[in-house]
Amino acid sequence: MRALRVAVVGGGVSGLAAAHRLRHLLGPAAEITVVEQAHRLGGKLRTAEVGGRAYDVGAEAFLHRRPEAAELVAELGLGDRLVHPGRAAASIHAGGATRSVPAHTLMGVPASVEAVRHVLSPEGVRRVAAEPTLPPIRLDGGDVAVGALLTERFGPEVGERLVGPLLGGVYAGRTEHLGLRATMPQLASALDSGVGSLLAAAATAMPAPPRSGVPRPPVFGTLRDGLSTLVDRLAEVSGARLRLGLPVRALARAGHGWRLEIGSAAAPEHLDVDGVVLAVPAPAARRLLADVAPAASRRYGEVELASMAVVALALPPGTGLPERSGVLLAEGERDADGVPFTAKAFTFSGRKWDHLSGEPVLVRGSVGRHGEAHLLQRDDDELVAAVRHDLARLTGVEARPVDVVVTRWGGGLPQYGVGHLDLVRDIEDAVAAVPGLAVAGATLHGVGIPACIATGDAAAARVASHVLGRIR
């Protein structure tokens, strides 16, 4: 009997997690092939050398409270490299001032008036205090744009000064386009349960404080030598055949299995397999599913994308940075001369992560929200100059970098718009009707690393169940 053959299209963390899980489910004899259009694995996980140090220029951390990434790190034998942020607090620059990110908020939505008193104007504070007196919120199972709901209940400041910068950091999106149910599910659940005000819903959804004497669990984690360590280990233990630098041009049913056309139009190759995991961004999924799952293809075509760039700066030894982990910038902020800021966030990496302290001093600037492609239409030198200008105006640091790495992520972040959960359900229902096919990736159930791993695991389980069922 020939070996089972499975293809994973996409070599990001979702695809590699799927390949790893397929190996466990199908055994050592299975032929697992990972096909990746780029000439490197990892997708949005990329560790570069900046100032002679390993430094993540894509995703820099994962949510530790969600278990998938931490459990996978332990399973792969990387637990001794797991590190967590130090105690330096994050900050937000909004309303012309830089302040600490307020505690007792849920992604910036206040759970009490006092939590946000230092961030809002007196009128903003009044609006938050009055919110529980407004008519109760009724979602009736529907979805709503985060920005519209915040403005209706709190006025403009909570969205502009708090929620916008925080959601912009996660999704590179804007509150007026992002849907509540996909981006703040805990808040939506509280409202569904009958809690009538946003203030009370945020208080209900806040995690319980730790018991006295019990340390608060870490929120984030990363790997000491960079997240590419996770990529490399997944590729190794999966035992998959890696086909890099090869686009998948077409996907079609072939008998009881599948045929992939890969490579160039002039010299295509064909790969025949029993099952396929598609772990690719929405545009590629839309194209590849057009004939085999047209309903899913149409829904993938509705997903909008945001582009961004990371400007990594290695500053000279001794450069003094604020005692903060970083700063998020509200949209539309300007410096003292009225010049708009280009960056949406800075991470002071040596303050945030103990393993990145020391020399040189590492700073990462992020540029780009949904609809801000014009900010990225500059060459690297212009982008670096703009980010350095912002850093100087925010912190007073004008030191010339000893090294710079610019990394652009075109279409890197899917936007979770109003009705996103319905869109994902439609995609998964349509794909479920096609034997031997599954989808994974950041378009579906979360853009973070744990959510991507979860989609890869689920896709692997679906495909493995199909191919094993055929031989029993």
Side-chain angles (χ1 to χ4, degrees):
M1 184 178 68
R2 69 168 177 82
L4 295 172
R5 296 185 298 230
V6 177
V8 177
V9 183
V13 69
S14 304
L16 291 173
H20 168 60
R21 198 59 60 205
L22 283 164
R23 178 61 66 201
H24 276 265
L25 295 170
L26 300 181
E31 296 177 6
I32 301 170
T33 303
V34 174
V35 186
E36 167 57 49
Q37 179 171 338
H39 290 276
R40 52 170 290 276
L41 294 172
K44 306 306 180 295
L45 275 60
R46 182 182 300 180
T47 306
E49 183 178 299
V50 182
R53 307 183 69 180
Y55 194 57
D56 284 310
V57 293
E60 66 152 355
F62 55 82
L63 191 64
H64 192 265
R65 289 175 177 171
R66 182 167 174 166
E68 292 90 348
E71 289 177 354
L72 182 60
V73 165
E75 179 184 342
L76 296 173
L78 299 174
D80 59 338
R81 306 185 194 186
L82 178 63
V83 292
H84 304 290
R87 296 185 177 182
S91 59
I92 290 179
H93 185 85
T98 302
R99 307 173 181 89
S100 295
V101 174
H104 210 52
T105 64
L106 183 71
M107 284 300 289
V109 178
S112 70
V113 179
E114 291 305 315
V116 294
R117 190 178 295 278
H118 71 291
V119 182
L120 306 181
S121 70
E123 173 60 15
V125 171
R126 186 195 70 77
R127 291 290 301 267
V128 171
E131 191 268 340
T133 68
L134 297 177
I137 299 169
R138 292 182 59 89
L139 296 179
D140 295 324
D143 200 4
V144 64
V146 171
L149 183 62
L150 292 173
T151 300
E152 176 188 336
R153 304 295 295 193
F154 292 135
E157 289 187 11
V158 169
E160 292 173 355
R161 298 189 180 189
L162 291 170
V163 180
L166 287 162
L167 285 183
V170 176
Y171 297 95
R174 290 187 161 92
T175 59
E176 60 262 36
H177 299 301
L178 295 171
L180 180 72
R181 291 195 178 276
T183 62
M184 296 187 180
Q186 307 98 318
L187 201 64
S189 295
L191 295 171
D192 287 338
S193 73
V195 177
S197 89
L198 273 187
L199 203 68
T204 300
M206 291 286 292
R211 297 189 305 273
S212 178
V214 177
R216 186 179 295 274
V219 177
F220 297 104
T222 195
L223 296 179
R224 182 178 291 107
D225 301 314
L227 288 169
S228 287
T229 308
L230 175 61
V231 171
D232 295 342
R233 184 62 62 87
L234 280 171
E236 175 189 356
V237 299
S238 74
R241 180 188 183 201
L242 305 177
R243 304 296 309 278
L244 303 182
L246 293 172
V248 176
R249 302 182 59 82
L251 174 67
R253 297 300 301 272
H256 294 294
W258 293 88
R259 169 163 286 190
L260 287 72
E261 182 181 310
I262 64 177
S264 68
E269 300 179 43
H270 292 101
L271 178 64
D272 292 317
V273 294
D274 302 297
V276 177
V277 173
L278 281 185
V280 293
R286 177 194 58 77
R287 177 175 56 82
L288 292 172
L289 292 173
D291 293 330
V292 297
S297 172
R298 286 192 294 272
R299 291 297 254 163
Y300 266 116
E302 297 174 29
V303 178
E304 297 187 25
L305 303 174
S307 299
M308 62 169 296
V310 172
V311 178
L313 307 174
L315 302 176
T319 301
L321 290 172
E323 294 290 337
R324 300 191 293 271
S325 64
V327 57
L328 298 163
L329 285 87
E331 189 176 350
E333 288 294 304
R334 297 174 178 266
D335 66 18
D337 295 327
V339 178
F341 287 108
T342 296
K344 67 171 185 175
F346 284 95
T347 302
F348 308 143
S349 298
R351 302 287 193 209
K352 183 173 183 177
W353 304 99
D354 289 344
H355 70 286
L356 292 177
S357 62
E359 301 174 355
V361 176
L362 296 173
V363 172
R364 123 188 199 135
S366 299
V367 179
R369 297 179 178 87
H370 183 243
E372 287 187 345
H374 63 283
L375 294 179
L376 303 174
Q377 292 170 349
R378 333 177 180 189
D379 64 27
D380 286 0
D381 289 343
E382 291 175 307
L383 201 59
V384 170
V387 168
R388 289 187 59 204
H389 169 273
D390 291 353
L391 181 65
R393 292 306 178 100
L394 286 168
T395 68
V397 172
E398 298 182 346
R400 181 176 296 276
V402 298
D403 193 16
V404 176
V405 174
V406 177
T407 309
R408 298 174 184 267
W409 298 106
L413 285 169
Q415 298 299 286
Y416 283 18
V418 176
H420 183 78
L421 298 186
D422 294 334
L423 180 149
V424 171
R425 185 189 63 242
D426 290 347
I427 288 172
E428 293 181 331
D429 286 350
V431 171
V434 184
L437 178 67
V439 292
T443 302
L444 301 175
H445 296 288
V447 299
I449 294 172
C452 289
I453 291 169
T455 66
D457 284 348
R462 170 173 159 74
V463 169
S465 176
H466 169 76
V467 299
L468 290 172
R470 283 184 51 210
I471 64 173
R472 285 176 180 157

